[in-house]
Amino acid sequence: PGAIGKGRIVVENRRVSLDARNGDPMDITTCFARDLFKGRTVFVTGGGSGLNLGIARCFAALGANVGICGRTQEKLDAAAAELREIGARVCPVAADVRDMAALEAAFAKSEAELGPMDVLVAGAAGNFLVPAEQLSANGFKTVIDIDLLGSFNAARAAFAQLKATRG
């Protein structure tokens, strides 16, 4: 386990801490009950790394079962191992949010393994770290397809489960 975003979300000894502005870690369970999401399933798109893995860690620390998807199974498996160290049941599934059928399959697998989804975090995002004048039209379209279309696809594919759980 390690840190995300320059140490902002830290996992140590199965505890998830958030660094306060003064740099002192704050255990997330001092603000929220450790079992707040016990028996609930949270699915995080883009949950294999970065900020979205940090979000998944926080839900795991609060007792949630966690489904994650991204495009690289190896990265997802490593993230799942970290989440399991916190104590979560985890379902890592490779799926590109631009592909509705892949999302539907990922959500079905997560439901079969963890139960129906109570919370969806549509966090998958694409970006190109270049000045705006250097971003190609194709690059911009890719960002829009992942960020906008991907969020719609995730919400649409999750709707039946969220409706059933009143999530």
Side-chain angles (χ1 to χ4, degrees), residues 3 10 35 40 52-53 72 92 97 99 102-103 111 123 127 150 156 165 167:
V10 181
D35 63 351
R40 306 234 175 175
N52 294 311
L53 176 53
T72 309
V97 295
D99 181 345
L103 273 177
E111 181 179 26
N127 57 56
R156 181 64 190 93
T165 61

Side-chain angles (χ1 to χ4, degrees), residues 88-101:
R89 291 176 51 218
V90 185
C91 178
V93 186
D96 187 325
V97 295
R98 296 171 288 186
D99 181 345
M100 179 67 88

Side-chain angles (χ1 to χ4, degrees), residues 80-134:
E82 289 187 33
L83 296 170
R84 288 182 185 112
E85 286 181 22
I86 299 169
R89 291 176 51 218
V90 185
C91 178
V93 186
D96 187 325
V97 295
R98 296 171 288 186
D99 181 345
M100 179 67 88
L103 273 177
E104 290 171 338
F107 291 170
K109 182 176 182 188
S110 176
E111 181 179 26
E113 292 185 19
L114 305 174
M117 188 185 317
D118 295 280
V119 176
L120 169 67
V121 177
N127 57 56
F128 296 94
L129 301 177
V130 298
E133 68 271 12
Q134 293 178 13

